[in-house]
Amino acid sequence: MLAYTDTGNLDFWTSRLWHHQWLASGASFIMFGIAAYRKCSSGSGYPNISLSAPLPGIPKPVFAAVDSHEQCETKITTLENGLKVASQNKFGQFCTVGILVNSGSRHETKYPSGIAHFLEKLAFSSTDTFYGSKDEILLTLEKHGGICDCQTSRDTTMYAVSAEVKGLDTVVSLLSDAVLQPRLLDEEIEMTRMAVRFELEDLSMRPDPEPLLTEMIHAAAYRGNTVGLPRFCPVESVEKIDKKLLHMYLQSYYCPERMVLAGVGIEHEQLVACARKYLLNVKPVWGASTPTNVDLSVAQYTGGIVRMDKDMSDVSLGPTPIPELTHIMIGLESCSFLEDDFIPFAVLNMMMGGGGSFSAGGPGKGMFTRLYLNVLNRHHWMYNATSYHHSYEDTGLLCIHASADPRQVREMVEILTREFIQMAGTAGEMELERAKTQLKSMLMMNLESRPVIFEDVGRQVLATGKRKLPHELCDLISNVTASDIKRVTTKMLCSKPAVAALGDLTEMPSYEHIQAALSSKDGHLPRMYRLFR
């Protein structure tokens, strides 16, 4: 007999004993399950039982029933100061609440570009009332299991918090302070300058060029206006942006009429009560708002090309470096998300699909999209071919990004122009149904996430004052026909192309040749004859 005096060892052997007892009970349960299975399975004279039929002797399950319309309904209230409050109830002990502002890089026409980028980095810092530092905000949220984040895009700024439902009052109070009472201390602005410089440096060095190409394609498509203005703060603007300039911008755009308080996972009446308490009669730290200075410019599509000759040979060093590639993105004007043609364009984008040449296949992975079947599967030397659709309240841009060895750039561009021309052909019934099914499944799967529902509710209410429910969008997707795809593509091909090119551009065809190819019947580039090679 062994005698154990060490408490740790005793606990260990006690846990082992419990573990063996649990395994023994588990084994007996498994044996019982096997016996029950054999009893209901084929063989030994027992009948087969279909998976769709109930098992004999098992009581019929009773499921909770919820009114589908009540579950999906988005409730919207407009307060006396113009602030909209929108909520979507969702079961669970956590909620996501945030303030969305109709403000982004497209509104910086009268200011140095980069203000929205600065505000994103300065978000949830010290406030003029309760919070002396960002750490105090994070500690307050920690008590309710919460996290916070701020994201800016070309047309929207979003402040969001996820926390326990019982901390709703604290969350809305904190959001009100963060949005309307930021102190913008000199040391915070200086730290933001350092963060912006680092992000700009990282943007030019990262192996994935997609964010940089997106910037370039917008600059080419909307030269010098609205959504073509820089999303990231340019280097020359970093030192120009100070507290006075930020207050001037906030005074124009951070007014209640341009805001939505959105929440998911909470009761609408509770959210409205918190909004009245913390957002109704609050004076911002910058004084009274002056919405008369708001830039209401409509996006002007210009088309054009932005080239960046760059040595990409040392972008990804290490044991498995990415080979040197040249990246091309070609885009054409589509439509606003407020137009009826937005849904056919979304289906067209899904039909084109694409991705990386080394992407593993699988259900729903898009291996039967056109850019896989017609491009990546046929041209082994292409590393990437992906379709993107950017849509805003007054314009849109459908583009294809492709990557290949610098020596094969001309051939790659011609493949892309051919794909654009072939979009105008009649879509096959099977590929159209596949694209619509995939789009609906992606929509519904994404909307299972609480933060995604929050963003969807906030953005739709901010842009239109109401929300289209998922089943309404699915009905619109189902109604798209091959003639709709052909019609929107034919209209799109009438616009001038926007081109972004990054890398070794020695073999890059001219913009005029790309435009000629997209105006032709087959998408081929004009032939070039060289006396010397």
Side-chain angles (χ1 to χ4, degrees):
M1 178 72 71
L2 291 175
Y4 292 100
T5 56
D6 181 33
T7 307
N9 284 335
L10 185 60
D11 290 343
F12 171 76
W13 286 106
T14 304
S15 67
R16 295 289 293 172
L17 179 62
W18 278 106
H19 179 65
H20 284 299
Q21 289 176 349
W22 179 82
L23 283 178
S25 62
S28 63
F29 176 77
I30 292 169
M31 293 302 295
F32 173 78
I34 292 173
Y37 167 75
R38 284 176 177 167
K39 187 176 180 181
C40 295
S41 64
S42 60
S44 307
Y46 292 109
N48 270 330
I49 294 184
S50 168
L51 291 175
S52 60
L55 289 171
I58 305 296
K60 186 178 180 181
V62 179
F63 300 103
V66 178
D67 183 0
S68 58
H69 293 292
E70 183 181 342
Q71 187 183 20
C72 294
E73 184 186 1
T74 301
K75 297 180 179 178
I76 303 168
T77 300
T78 303
L79 301 187
E80 291 82 348
N81 61 354
L83 176 79
K84 292 183 177 66
V85 182
S87 73
Q88 174 84 45
N89 209 345
K90 183 178 173 67
F91 298 113
Q93 61 181 11
F94 278 82
C95 64
T96 300
V97 182
I99 294 177
L100 291 91
V101 188
N102 186 3
S103 156
S105 59
R106 70 170 293 162
H107 301 107
E108 296 172 355
T109 307
K110 301 175 183 177
Y111 303 87
S113 291
I115 290 180
H117 192 190
F118 258 68
L119 290 173
E120 177 185 88
K121 301 299 175 193
L122 285 163
F124 296 104
S125 296
S126 65
T127 68
D128 213 38
T129 48
F130 298 112
Y131 303 100
S133 68
K134 188 164 192 169
D135 288 341
E136 289 186 24
I137 289 178
L138 296 178
L139 284 170
T140 302
L141 287 175
E142 205 172 275
K143 294 174 185 175
H144 299 284
I147 56 172
C148 61
D149 188 28
C150 177
Q151 295 179 8
T152 58
S153 62
R154 297 182 188 280
D155 54 2
T156 310
T157 301
M158 181 172 63
Y159 299 79
V161 173
S162 287
E164 288 181 311
V165 175
K166 61 185 180 183
L168 178 64
D169 191 84
T170 303
V171 166
V172 177
S173 170
L174 190 151
L175 281 166
S176 173
D177 265 21
V179 176
L180 300 176
Q181 309 293 335
R183 290 169 75 183
L184 304 178
L185 299 173
D186 291 341
E187 53 265 34
E188 291 173 343
I189 292 175
E190 192 55 44
M191 286 293 290
T192 299
R193 289 194 180 108
M194 291 173 62
V196 167
R197 287 194 190 99
F198 175 80
E199 193 167 342
L200 293 176
E201 187 178 341
D202 177 66
L203 189 67
S204 61
M205 292 175 62
R206 66 171 62 181
D208 176 23
E210 197 268 327
L212 186 55
L213 281 168
T214 302
E215 277 288 283
M216 295 167 64
I217 197 75
H218 279 83
Y222 306 92
R223 193 169 293 275
N225 75 90
T226 59
V227 293
L229 297 174
R231 155 75 179 81
F232 298 97
C233 179
V235 177
E236 60 271 15
S237 295
V238 173
E239 292 298 331
K240 294 178 183 177
I241 297 174
D242 56 15
K243 183 175 180 177
K244 182 180 177 182
L245 195 64
L246 291 169
H247 273 185
M248 286 174 60
Y249 180 86
L250 291 167
Q251 199 171 27
S252 297
Y253 291 97
Y254 278 48
C255 48
E257 313 90 78
R258 300 178 64 84
M259 292 182 184
V260 169
L261 174 66
V264 174
I266 34 83
E267 294 292 338
H268 186 70
E269 292 73 19
Q270 286 181 288
L271 189 61
V272 171
C274 289
R276 290 187 180 280
K277 185 176 178 181
Y278 297 111
L279 291 164
L280 185 56
N281 296 309
V282 179
K283 185 179 179 182
V285 72
W286 51 82
S289 299
T290 54
T292 52
N293 292 333
V294 170
D295 178 29
L296 299 175
S297 303
V298 177
Q300 301 296 317
Y301 182 85
T302 60
I305 184 169
V306 173
R307 299 166 55 107
M308 186 182 291
D309 286 276
K310 185 180 178 185
D311 181 9
M312 305 287 283
S313 58
D314 60 349
V315 166
S316 176
L317 302 176
T320 55
I322 297 175
E324 181 182 359
L325 300 174
T326 295
H327 304 274
I328 305 294
M329 191 178 274
I330 299 176
L332 294 169
E333 187 180 21
S334 58
C335 73
S336 151
F337 57 67
L338 299 176
E339 296 179 46
D340 293 337
D341 285 343
F342 172 67
I343 299 295
F345 269 115
V347 175
L348 173 62
N349 180 55
M350 192 59 64
M351 192 188 304
M352 298 307 296
S357 59
F358 298 109
S359 181
K365 198 64 189 290
M367 290 296 171
F368 289 94
T369 57
R370 287 190 182 184
L371 291 180
Y372 266 114
L373 293 176
N374 301 346
V375 178
L376 294 171
N377 290 357
R378 295 184 183 182
H379 307 284
H380 63 89
W381 45 268
M382 286 187 68
Y383 282 77
N384 177 59
T386 311
S387 176
Y388 297 94
H389 187 217
H390 307 278
S391 195
Y392 305 96
E393 63 181 358
D394 50 6
T395 187
L397 187 67
L398 189 139
C399 43
I400 299 177
H401 166 215
S403 308
D405 186 278
R407 294 167 294 183
Q408 292 170 303
V409 169
R410 183 177 177 83
E411 189 177 353
M412 174 175 68
V413 170
E414 186 167 84
I415 289 167
L416 296 188
T417 54
R418 287 208 308 266
E419 285 303 311
F420 271 109
I421 295 299
Q422 288 169 13
M423 286 183 196
T426 303
E429 183 180 350
M430 186 177 292
E431 73 167 343
L432 181 60
E433 285 304 314
R434 184 184 290 119
K436 292 196 289 186
T437 302
Q438 191 173 359
L439 181 59
K440 286 186 283 187
S441 68
M442 285 183 66
L443 172 70
M444 300 308 292
M445 285 188 287
N446 283 330
L447 288 174
E448 289 179 5
S449 167
R450 189 182 62 251
V452 174
I453 300 173
F454 157 75
E455 188 171 349
D456 180 54
V457 170
R459 285 183 179 275
Q460 286 204 51
V461 173
L462 188 66
T464 65
K466 58 184 179 179
R467 184 190 179 216
K468 281 184 180 175
L469 298 175
H471 69 269
E472 296 178 85
L473 293 171
C474 286
D475 290 342
L476 292 172
I477 293 168
S478 298
N479 292 334
V480 174
T481 63
S483 61
D484 291 327
I485 300 294
K486 187 172 184 177
R487 173 176 52 79
V488 298
T489 305
T490 303
K491 179 182 176 183
M492 179 181 69
L493 287 168
C494 294
S495 61
K496 291 175 63 177
V499 182
L502 174 66
D504 182 352
L505 306 178
T506 309
E507 298 297 319
M508 176 76 183
S510 68
Y511 178 78
E512 290 72 24
H513 281 188
I514 296 172
Q515 191 172 5
L518 289 169
S519 302
S520 66
K521 292 182 179 180
D522 54 11
H524 288 295
L525 291 166
R527 293 288 159 247
M528 290 182 64
Y529 300 97
R530 297 181 182 176
L531 189 59
F532 302 103
R533 286 194 176 272

